[in-house]
Amino acid sequence: AKDHLDDLERRGLRPCTISAQGRALRMLKLACGDIPVGEITTDHILQFWDVLRWFPSNKSKSSKFRHMTDAELLAYGKKINVDPPAPVTMETARRNLCVFFNRLLKMRVISHSPMEAFSPAADEMMDESTGRPFTDSELMNIFNPAVFFPWAEMVPHRWWVPMLGLYTGARVNEISQLKV
């Protein structure tokens, strides 16, 4: 796992990508223990799904819970019946483990991937609600020159992101990924 994360960093991947990979590997270790990767089976992956289901991810960042081990956090999550992760979170974890095991396959460290048995989530489970379109009166309130201009004039992205969204219908995350 450490070699994999080091390789991702060496390849210049974004810190959030490396962090997501690290979290998936941390949950995998919690599910199956510190065993050689060649001994990880589909049963371990099933245990991984249970760990992911019950692990209180936000609690692990809180200073109140920093003294707890991962096993204690998992037990705590079960005790308080934490909300299950969103389907997109589960799919991201599946993809992260696939990346890890596929790398091991290419390096001939393992002969088969325990992730082969787990298909991607159905597209309809991944669709997040896009919300409803703004009404004309809401748009008039948002783009009221007396309010919008003072708010947007000092920071370019406050001007361009809303304007591009207004005139193209694109979502904020789509606009934010645009390059000049």
Coordinates of all heavy atoms in Angstrom, one line a residue, residues 20 30 33-34 44 47 107 113 123-125 132 160 177-178:
A20 N -7.7 9.7 -1.3 CA -8.8 8.7 -1.5 C -8.3 7.3 -1.6 O -8.9 6.4 -1.1 CB -9.6 9.1 -2.7
L30 N -8.1 -2.6 7.5 CA -9.0 -2.8 8.7 C -9.9 -4.0 8.5 O -10.2 -4.7 9.4 CB -9.9 -1.5 8.9 CG -10.8 -1.5 10.2 CD1 -9.9 -1.6 11.4 CD2 -11.5 -0.1 10.2
G33 N -6.8 -7.1 7.9 CA -5.6 -7.2 8.7 C -4.4 -6.9 7.8 O -4.5 -6.7 6.6
D34 N -3.2 -7.0 8.4 CA -2.0 -6.7 7.7 C -1.5 -8.0 7.1 O -0.6 -8.6 7.7 CB -1.0 -6.0 8.7 CG 0.2 -5.4 7.9 OD1 0.2 -5.4 6.7 OD2 1.1 -4.9 8.6
H44 N -12.5 -11.0 1.9 CA -11.9 -9.8 2.5 C -12.6 -8.6 1.9 O -12.8 -7.6 2.6 CB -10.4 -9.8 2.3 CG -9.6 -10.8 3.0 ND1 -8.9 -11.8 2.4 CD2 -9.5 -11.0 4.4 CE1 -8.4 -12.6 3.3 NE2 -8.7 -12.1 4.5
Q47 N -15.8 -8.1 3.5 CA -15.6 -7.4 4.8 C -15.2 -6.0 4.7 O -15.6 -5.1 5.5 CB -14.4 -8.2 5.6 CG -14.8 -9.6 6.0 CD -13.6 -10.3 6.5 OE1 -12.5 -9.8 6.7 NE2 -13.8 -11.6 6.7
M107 N 2.2 -5.6 -12.4 CA 3.6 -5.8 -11.8 C 3.8 -7.3 -11.6 O 4.9 -7.7 -11.1 CB 3.7 -5.0 -10.5 CG 3.7 -3.5 -10.7 SD 3.7 -2.6 -9.2 CE 5.3 -3.1 -8.5
S113 N -7.1 -10.6 -9.4 CA -7.6 -9.5 -8.6 C -8.9 -10.0 -7.8 O -9.8 -10.4 -8.5 CB -8.0 -8.3 -9.4 OG -8.6 -7.3 -8.6
D123 N -25.6 2.7 -13.2 CA -25.6 4.2 -13.5 C -26.7 4.9 -12.7 O -26.5 6.0 -12.2 CB -25.8 4.5 -15.0 CG -24.5 4.2 -15.7 OD1 -23.5 4.1 -15.1 OD2 -24.6 4.0 -16.9
E124 N -27.9 4.3 -12.6 CA -29.0 5.0 -11.9 C -28.7 5.2 -10.4 O -29.3 6.1 -9.8 CB -30.4 4.3 -12.1 CG -30.4 2.9 -11.6 CD -30.1 1.8 -12.6 OE1 -29.6 2.2 -13.7 OE2 -30.3 0.6 -12.3
M125 N -27.8 4.4 -9.8 CA -27.5 4.6 -8.4 C -26.5 5.7 -8.3 O -26.4 6.3 -7.2 CB -26.8 3.3 -7.9 CG -27.8 2.2 -7.7 SD -27.1 0.8 -6.9 CE -26.7 1.4 -5.3
R132 N -33.4 21.6 -9.0 CA -34.4 22.1 -10.0 C -33.8 23.4 -10.6 O -32.9 24.0 -10.0 CB -35.7 22.4 -9.3 CG -35.5 23.5 -8.2 CD -36.9 24.0 -7.6 NE -36.7 24.9 -6.6 CZ -36.3 26.1 -6.7 NH1 -36.0 26.6 -7.9 NH2 -36.1 26.9 -5.7
W160 N -17.3 35.4 -13.3 CA -17.4 34.5 -14.4 C -18.1 33.2 -14.2 O -18.9 32.8 -15.1 CB -16.0 34.2 -14.9 CG -15.4 35.4 -15.6 CD1 -14.4 36.2 -15.1 CD2 -15.8 36.0 -16.8 NE1 -14.2 37.3 -15.9 CE2 -15.0 37.2 -17.0 CE3 -16.8 35.7 -17.7 CZ2 -15.2 38.0 -18.1 CZ3 -16.9 36.6 -18.8 CH2 -16.1 37.7 -19.0
Q177 N -14.0 23.5 -13.9 CA -13.0 22.7 -14.5 C -12.5 23.3 -15.9 O -11.5 22.8 -16.5 CB -13.5 21.3 -14.7 CG -13.7 20.6 -13.4 CD -14.3 19.2 -13.7 OE1 -14.0 18.5 -14.6 NE2 -15.2 18.8 -12.8
L178 N -13.1 24.4 -16.3 CA -12.7 24.9 -17.6 C -11.3 25.6 -17.5 O -10.9 26.1 -16.5 CB -13.7 26.0 -18.0 CG -15.1 25.5 -18.4 CD1 -16.0 26.7 -18.6 CD2 -15.1 24.6 -19.6

